[in-house]
Amino acid sequence: MATGLVNQWMQRALALAARGEGYVEPNPLVGCVLVGGTAGIGANDEALLGEGYHARFGQAHAERAALEDARQRGHAARLVGATAYVTLEPCCHHGKTPPCTAALIEAGIARVVTAQLDPFPQVAGQGVAALRAAGVSVEVGVEQSAAKQLLAPYLKRLSHGRPWMIAKWAMSLDGKLATHAGQSQWISCETSRARVQELRGRVDAIVVGSRTALVDNPRLTARTLHSPPRTALRVVLDSHLRLPLDSQLVRTAREIPVLLVAGPDAPSDKAEQLRELGCQVHLSPHVDRQVRLDSLLEHLACHYEATNVLVEGGGELLGSLLELRQIDQCDVFIAPKLIGGHSAPSPIGGLGLAALNDGPAAVSWQVEPSGQDSHIRMRLNWEKTNTCR
């Protein structure tokens, strides 16, 4: 088959995979397209037989969804000798669903083209080996760069034991989060605030610092027109457990989980009161805040299997994440307003970077209107430094 057509089929599979965002985590986003021709493998008239994607955690994987789609279209017989384009190596183990390698082999698929090997320890090349052992031709690496970008949060959690960290803030045109008197509601417009609610509805956890929790008294829930795909764990970095017992977070802790991360000097009696009201309280033994923060990220990835984490402030927390090299994505809403003032807060505090080239490279970005605001979404790569001149 022509190289261009191979890439087109995989691009279609990648577009399907993206539909599962927010619904399938901690599983990866996966899409599958099945094609075949009347003249067999390599025929110029190859046509779509079936397609599918992993739509929800615990439900059918992409390969089984595509096979079922092909059967419903009446193409079961044409699956023998067909090609499967899968964005991630098919699984070969029993999890919540049976192995996809077995389903492909049983259907008579003769060729599998996959964009990326799955680093999950129970797969990690074993899926490809199982297919080849059954006589299935396997090609790996088609549209791999695009697949890695799609799977970046999943790949980071598996390879580094940390979630994909999304920093979100709204600011004025001159880069201020609030006035010098502390007024911040509302810098962004209603459209931008609705987008933030949608973002909250697809992440596993939302993290704020104690100052943000005290000043704003937020709920940190996703208030959308439709039921959001996920309900995020609400996390507050509260060294001394200053969060009031009558705060919105505490009052709703029995309905939506709240995790408070405190330092070793936090009062044990306040911790017990918060637990009695439904909060999870983690008393970290680490005195150093940076170490405590990094330990939290590891805990979120390993214990909660958090893949995507949204950080909503404040500036000191974002500054700490910057220094830990743990900001992977920025969602920034810029309002057409000027605030000014030396003491008016800016988005990222802390010590900051010493040199411009110490910062990460922006590997992808998009800018689009958001009501009267501008919404910038940017992905960062810490393995590449900022070399813009």
Side-chain angles (χ1 to χ4, degrees):
M1 183 187 295
T3 302
L5 197 53
V6 169
N7 289 81
Q8 287 176 29
W9 286 124
M10 186 61 77
Q11 288 165 9
R12 182 169 184 146
L14 287 165
L16 285 168
R19 296 181 186 178
E21 185 179 20
Y23 294 91
V24 306
E25 292 85 357
N27 283 355
L29 304 174
V30 185
C32 178
V33 174
L34 303 171
V35 299
T38 55
I41 297 177
N44 291 327
D45 62 340
E46 280 204 324
L48 176 70
L49 302 181
E51 60 186 6
Y53 65 98
H54 188 24
R56 190 176 290 273
F57 180 73
Q59 294 184 2
H61 286 188
E63 298 90 329
R64 290 182 176 271
L67 290 169
E68 179 59 27
D69 182 52
R71 294 182 182 111
Q72 290 184 1
R73 292 173 186 240
H75 297 322
R78 295 178 66 188
L79 291 173
V80 178
T83 297
Y85 291 88
V86 191
T87 57
L88 187 67
E89 176 184 12
C91 65
C92 54
H93 65 290
H94 283 271
K96 289 189 176 294
T97 59
C100 293
T101 50
L104 293 169
I105 293 166
E106 290 168 8
I109 298 297
R111 177 170 173 250
V112 171
V113 180
T114 185
Q116 166 78 33
L117 292 178
D118 189 348
F120 187 66
Q122 290 177 273
V123 185
Q126 298 173 71
V128 166
L131 291 168
R132 286 175 173 158
V136 179
S137 172
V138 181
E139 181 180 352
V140 179
V142 173
E143 292 290 334
Q144 186 172 31
S145 178
K148 282 187 173 181
Q149 182 166 335
L150 179 70
L151 292 164
Y154 171 76
L155 296 175
K156 183 190 177 188
R157 181 171 61 81
L158 287 189
S159 60
H160 298 289
R162 302 292 187 277
W164 183 261
M165 302 301 294
I166 304 168
K168 176 245 106 181
W169 66 84
M171 66 182 186
S172 63
L173 192 60
D174 57 336
K176 303 298 184 180
L177 296 180
T179 68
H180 68 85
Q183 183 183 359
S184 62
Q185 295 183 347
W186 295 101
I187 286 180
S188 59
C189 69
E190 187 175 346
T191 301
S192 297
R193 298 197 295 276
R195 288 192 179 191
V196 172
Q197 298 300 323
E198 292 173 2
L199 186 56
R200 286 180 176 181
R202 70 167 186 82
V203 299
D204 300 296
I206 302 169
V207 182
V208 297
S210 59
R211 177 174 173 78
T212 298
L214 289 170
V215 173
D216 295 346
N217 189 23
R219 285 175 57 93
L220 299 180
T221 54
R223 298 178 293 280
T224 59
L225 293 176
H226 307 288
S227 297
R230 309 189 79 74
T231 298
L233 171 71
R234 299 172 295 171
V235 184
V236 182
L237 293 172
D238 191 1
S239 299
H240 302 290
L241 293 180
R242 296 185 298 156
L243 190 67
L245 298 179
D246 62 349
S247 66
Q248 292 200 84
L249 286 167
V250 175
R251 291 206 311 267
T252 58
R254 295 193 189 281
E255 305 162 24
I256 303 171
V258 173
L259 172 64
L260 302 176
V261 181
D265 298 328
S268 57
D269 56 338
K270 180 70 174 290
E272 189 57 35
Q273 287 178 305
L274 289 163
R275 289 191 181 105
E276 289 176 357
L277 291 171
C279 296
Q280 303 171 45
V281 181
H282 175 61
L283 298 176
S284 173
H286 302 295
V287 176
D288 187 285
R289 291 188 179 185
Q290 291 288 78
V291 175
R292 194 155 67 231
L293 177 56
D294 190 51
S295 177
L296 166 65
L297 300 188
E298 182 181 22
H299 186 63
L300 290 174
C302 299
H303 179 75
Y304 290 94
E305 291 189 303
T307 302
N308 295 284
V309 172
L310 179 64
V311 184
E312 296 206 24
E316 291 305 308
L317 173 56
L318 289 174
S320 295
L321 286 170
L322 181 73
E323 291 162 22
L324 284 173
R325 303 163 67 90
Q326 287 295 328
I327 297 178
D328 302 295
Q329 177 179 320
C330 296
D331 275 75
V332 183
F333 298 88
I334 303 176
K337 301 174 182 177
L338 295 175
I339 293 176
H342 290 297
S343 61
S346 58
I348 301 180
L351 183 62
L353 302 176
L356 292 176
N357 287 349
D358 291 344
V363 292
S364 68
W365 61 89
Q366 61 188 57
V367 183
E368 59 184 16
S370 178
Q372 66 183 27
D373 303 336
S374 295
H375 178 194
I376 300 177
R377 172 167 291 171
M378 180 172 64
R379 282 192 168 193
L380 307 177
N381 186 340
W382 287 94
E383 296 177 1
K384 300 178 181 179
T385 56
N386 181 3
T387 56
C388 294
R389 292 178 174 84

